[in-house]
Amino acid sequence: MTKKKVYFVNSFFISVIYVYPIWVDRFWDLSAHIRLFKETVELGNFKIIHPVFHILYYSLEYSIPYISSLQAGVIVQVLCKVFSGLILCKILMERFEKMGALKIISSVCFLLSVGPISVFTFPKLYLGYVGMNVAHNPTIIALQPIALYSFYIFYIRKGCYANIGLVKNVIMTILSTMTKPVYHLVFGTGMLLNSLGKCIFFQKKWKDEFKSSLIILVVYFLIAVPQATLVYKSLRGGVSIAPFSMLNHWNSNIIFTILFYILSALFPLSNLFWGACKDNCDEKRVAWLSFIVGSLIAILFIEKGAIWSAGNYTWFWQLPLWILFVVCFIDYLTLKEASKLGKKTIFIINSILFLHLVSGLMHLYNLPKKYGDDFNPFGFLKEMF
């Protein structure tokens, strides 16, 4: 199968996986974002501080006749998932030149479907966990391909810190922060910590990474600080240090909070025991550092005022965990291809991956129950169009 066919088939399957849960979930965050954007455009009430997704759906709505705001929003979200899949496809084809088309397509669909291992707490499948396969929030879905591409430029392509690579990532930082200002803060900080670690332990090639991380963080703060000022001024809110407050809102027992955290990241945690760190040390360290920084933000900080219960700071750990999952999965495929893992280890890893997949699919396709609808994977198309 040619590369173009792989990309096409991959896009088709991702659309099939996500169009239903995103459509069913349209009345949650999507409808709120559409309402706020229309207030911004029509009434002049400036309530949208990160408008990339909103501009995309608005452009689509007004360029295609007879399409509604919700339909346009759903289409944009599905396309963002498709773009994430295409980037994953490119990564796998570059890393594993001999990998078959079916394995590439199934791996991409798998990585876009996995979630925290929540099967044991059904029907509690999302709140309290670190969600990776979000279907209800349009801005985090729009951010996913941008975040993955940024990580790909710097680390999966082996340290493209200068010239065109840095220019691309500055552009990605601007797009990312204007889409949802949650990823490049932790990514830039992860890069910074990784480069400082290299400096402390007298490793070479740390200066370019250090300079790149500073540039990313400066660009991020130049955009994010005015954003935060505007939103907290309009909502009369702010930021407060309140360790575990948000997580305790979802899980009153600290033991369950810790357990949910471990189950969310069980596969990456298992990689600490069987993973290799030779050719992919930087990408794995930065992925881990980004997730740790995002976790600290989610655990330590909370918003003041009426929006505190929205848990907006928990967005900081979701994409970093998913990208860490991707990096560890690539590590697994590399070691498996080189026959460096025993049969028992492979069985344990596959069992963990299976639980991540089942839980992720349960979360995606249990969404209709929230609204009292029956599961109908085909009838919704009539309603949608």
Side-chain angles (χ1 to χ4, degrees):
M1 191 181 291
T2 64
K3 285 186 177 182
K4 287 184 178 179
K5 286 184 178 178
V6 172
Y7 284 134
F8 177 79
V9 174
N10 196 59
S11 301
F12 172 76
F13 279 110
I14 294 167
S15 300
V16 169
I17 291 169
Y18 267 97
V19 66
Y20 180 71
I22 288 175
W23 174 252
V24 170
D25 233 9
R26 67 196 182 281
F27 294 120
W28 198 351
D29 286 16
L30 177 59
S31 59
H33 277 272
I34 288 173
R35 175 178 54 80
L36 289 173
F37 188 69
K38 286 191 172 182
E39 287 180 13
T40 299
V41 173
E42 297 170 5
L43 303 177
N45 297 333
F46 193 77
K47 294 186 177 181
I48 297 294
I49 57 169
H50 37 77
V52 170
F53 165 79
H54 309 82
I55 292 170
L56 290 174
Y57 104 78
Y58 195 74
S59 302
L60 186 65
E61 180 185 359
Y62 282 90
S63 61
I64 301 177
Y66 310 112
I67 192 172
S68 70
S69 300
L70 287 173
Q71 288 170 331
V74 169
I75 291 169
V76 169
Q77 288 179 87
V78 172
L79 287 175
C80 288
K81 286 293 183 181
V82 168
F83 284 131
S84 297
L86 294 177
I87 297 167
L88 284 172
C89 203
K90 180 177 176 62
I91 291 168
L92 292 176
M93 285 193 290
E94 287 182 359
R95 277 292 176 92
F96 307 99
E97 295 180 359
K98 296 181 181 180
M99 183 181 283
L102 182 61
K103 193 170 183 180
I104 289 173
I105 293 166
S106 59
S107 295
V108 170
C109 291
F110 167 79
L111 288 169
L112 284 171
S113 302
V114 292
I117 297 176
S118 55
V119 63
F120 304 114
T121 57
F122 181 85
K124 187 181 179 70
L125 300 171
Y126 180 74
L127 292 179
Y129 290 97
V130 186
M132 289 183 282
N133 57 345
V134 175
H136 70 275
N137 186 273
T139 50
I140 202 74
I141 291 172
L143 177 60
Q144 188 173 20
I146 300 171
L148 180 61
Y149 188 67
S150 293
F151 194 88
Y152 164 75
I153 291 169
F154 267 131
Y155 291 103
I156 297 178
R157 290 187 67 187
K158 300 300 178 189
C160 195
Y161 300 123
N163 302 327
I164 191 65
L166 182 57
V167 171
K168 282 183 180 179
N169 227 313
V170 168
I171 294 171
M172 290 296 108
T173 304
I174 295 169
L175 277 176
S176 167
T177 313
M178 294 300 290
T179 303
K180 195 178 190 76
V182 297
Y183 181 69
H184 272 74
L185 173 61
V186 298
F187 176 53
T189 307
M191 287 180 65
L192 180 66
L193 293 173
N194 188 52
S195 62
L196 290 175
K198 288 180 181 179
C199 176
I200 292 169
F201 293 103
F202 305 104
Q203 294 184 18
K204 297 179 180 179
K205 298 180 180 179
W206 65 272
K207 290 183 180 179
D208 286 339
E209 185 180 14
F210 178 75
K211 292 174 185 176
S212 299
S213 66
L214 288 181
I215 291 170
I216 286 173
L217 289 172
V218 167
V219 172
Y220 171 85
F221 282 113
L222 284 174
I223 301 170
V225 170
Q227 284 178 332
T229 303
L230 282 170
V231 73
Y232 290 138
K233 185 178 179 180
S234 63
L235 296 174
R236 296 181 181 178
V239 183
S240 178
I241 299 175
F244 291 99
S245 293
M246 194 66 250
L247 301 181
N248 289 339
H249 176 63
W250 294 322
N251 289 315
S252 56
N253 192 319
I254 190 65
I255 295 175
F256 280 106
T257 297
I258 296 170
L259 180 62
F260 281 22
Y261 184 83
I262 293 171
L263 289 173
S264 298
L266 190 59
F267 172 64
L269 286 169
S270 74
N271 180 260
L272 296 174
F273 297 95
W274 52 262
C277 190
K278 187 177 180 181
D279 297 328
N280 63 346
C281 265
D282 273 338
E283 66 188 63
K284 196 181 290 186
R285 277 198 302 259
V286 173
W288 267 112
L289 288 167
S290 299
F291 176 54
I292 291 168
V293 172
S295 297
L296 289 173
I297 292 172
I299 291 168
L300 296 176
F301 295 99
I302 193 170
E303 289 177 306
K304 295 178 182 177
I307 58 173
W308 78 271
S309 61
N312 285 322
Y313 283 111
T314 58
W315 292 119
F316 279 90
W317 64 7
Q318 297 196 349
L319 280 178
L321 176 58
W322 179 70
I323 290 174
L324 174 61
F325 199 104
V326 170
V327 170
C328 292
F329 186 73
I330 291 171
D331 191 30
Y332 172 52
L333 293 181
T334 303
L335 292 173
K336 192 177 177 183
E337 188 178 60
S339 302
K340 292 184 178 180
L341 295 172
K343 290 183 179 180
K344 288 183 179 179
T345 304
I346 291 174
F347 175 78
I348 293 170
I349 295 169
N350 286 342
S351 299
I352 294 171
L353 291 173
F354 177 75
L355 290 173
H356 276 291
L357 177 62
V358 170
S359 298
L361 292 174
M362 284 177 66
H363 165 61
L364 287 176
Y365 292 97
N366 189 55
L367 291 171
K369 284 193 173 182
K370 296 178 186 176
Y371 309 103
D373 298 331
D374 293 326
F375 176 73
N376 185 349
F378 302 107
F380 83 99
L381 291 171
K382 182 178 179 182
E383 180 189 0
M384 185 176 178
F385 297 106

